[in-house]
Amino acid sequence: GEQVEQRPPHLSVREGDSAFIICTYTDSATAYFYWYKQEPGAGLQLLMSVFSNVDRKEEQGLTVLLNKKDKRLSLNLTAAHPGDSAVYFCAVNTNKVVFGTGTRLQVLP
Amino acid sequence: NAGVIQTPRHKVTGKGQEATLWCEPISGHSAVFWYRQTIVQGLEFLTYFRNQAPIDDSGMPKERFSAQMPNQSHSTLKIQSTQPQDSAVYLCASSLEGLGGYEQYFGPGTRLTVL
């Protein structure tokens, strides 16, 4: 079945810096991709969804890149602020949604 | 729109007791998903309903776990004879339709602690 690897597991950046998270997946037929944010004690908040016909998507300081050839999905948070501190998950959807292992992001003031 | 509602938020049970977790999907959503989240295993898919019918329960432990969706406004996950290894956060999500690209929206989760 689909395997998703996410890295780094932990990331610490200064306020105003960028934070970059990457996921790799195995099933080339995967068509739908998502990024979620989870704050302590909360569920997963959908940040962005990307379909396989899109290579790049930007929304509100977030940039998602999809490289289908390399089966790689990335999230870049530009100008991070302390409120961005959370755990971030990628997810891919073929016939089932499979989540990455999460990246704990800490944004230091 | 209240989002996905899960109750209770926290539940503590003794080993061997039963736990029932509730999920109310977003109004108008036809699909409900259950996941389990632990530090060790991460996010694991448990089961999925569409239009109240069970579609995929491949992630459900074969013993002690069961899920139902008696009507379009709620789903339950029941764990019989709870064991300490069942301790986890159980997350419910709903989507407009089933799989095939529809975005899943998550509830806040129920943290189950089995003593």
Side-chain angles (χ1 to χ4, degrees):
Chain A
E2 177 79 270
Q3 303 287 322
V4 179
E5 291 190 4
Q6 182 172 345
R7 62 181 191 274
H10 301 276
L11 181 59
S12 183
V13 301
R14 290 285 178 190
E15 185 173 6
D17 288 348
S18 293
F20 187 75
I21 304 170
I22 190 166
C23 287
T24 55
Y25 59 96
T26 55
D27 189 343
S28 58
T30 298
Y32 310 103
F33 306 86
Y34 312 92
W35 282 100
Y36 286 90
K37 174 185 180 183
Q38 186 176 36
E39 296 181 85
L44 278 69
Q45 174 194 348
L46 180 67
L47 294 176
M48 205 180 300
S49 59
V50 175
F51 292 170
S52 61
N53 60 348
V54 172
D55 295 330
R56 180 188 181 99
K57 187 173 181 179
E58 293 185 45
E59 282 182 5
Q60 298 180 325
L62 303 174
T63 301
V64 171
L65 297 177
L66 176 61
N67 182 325
K68 291 181 286 293
K69 174 177 173 290
D70 295 337
K71 300 196 216 39
R72 189 169 64 233
L73 174 73
S74 67
L75 174 69
N76 190 42
L77 289 84
T78 55
H81 56 85
D84 291 329
S85 296
V87 180
Y88 290 79
F89 292 92
C90 64
V92 304
N93 181 354
T94 308
N95 58 2
K96 185 174 293 185
V97 176
V98 178
F99 288 85
T101 48
T103 295
R104 184 173 299 276
L105 173 65
Q106 184 180 27
V107 182
L108 303 172
Chain B
N1 189 335
V4 175
I5 298 172
Q6 287 190 251
T7 55
R9 292 295 311 277
H10 303 272
K11 186 169 183 67
V12 179
T13 67
K15 182 178 175 182
Q17 292 183 329
E18 182 178 286
T20 300
L21 313 180
W22 292 71
C23 172
E24 181 179 329
I26 293 171
S27 178
H29 281 193
S30 69
V32 169
F33 302 81
W34 285 97
Y35 295 89
R36 176 167 64 182
Q37 185 177 29
T38 61
I39 298 294
V40 174
Q41 297 294 334
L43 278 155
E44 299 175 280
F45 167 80
L46 294 176
T47 189
Y48 150 47
F49 294 86
R50 183 167 178 231
N51 293 326
Q52 300 169 233
I55 303 298
D56 181 355
D57 67 353
S58 60
M60 290 279 274
K62 295 308 176 194
E63 297 178 357
R64 303 188 295 107
F65 281 66
S66 63
Q68 294 184 333
M69 190 161 185
N71 56 59
Q72 64 185 8
S73 65
H74 87 274
S75 174
T76 57
L77 179 67
K78 183 182 292 186
I79 309 172
Q80 295 178 306
S81 185
T82 54
Q83 302 297 309
Q85 61 265 31
D86 299 331
S87 297
V89 176
Y90 290 84
L91 292 165
C92 175
S94 72
S95 69
L96 192 61
E97 296 286 343
L99 293 171
Y102 293 96
E103 297 162 345
Q104 294 185 21
Y105 295 88
F106 283 78
T110 294
R111 180 175 295 278
L112 176 66
T113 301
V114 182
L115 301 176

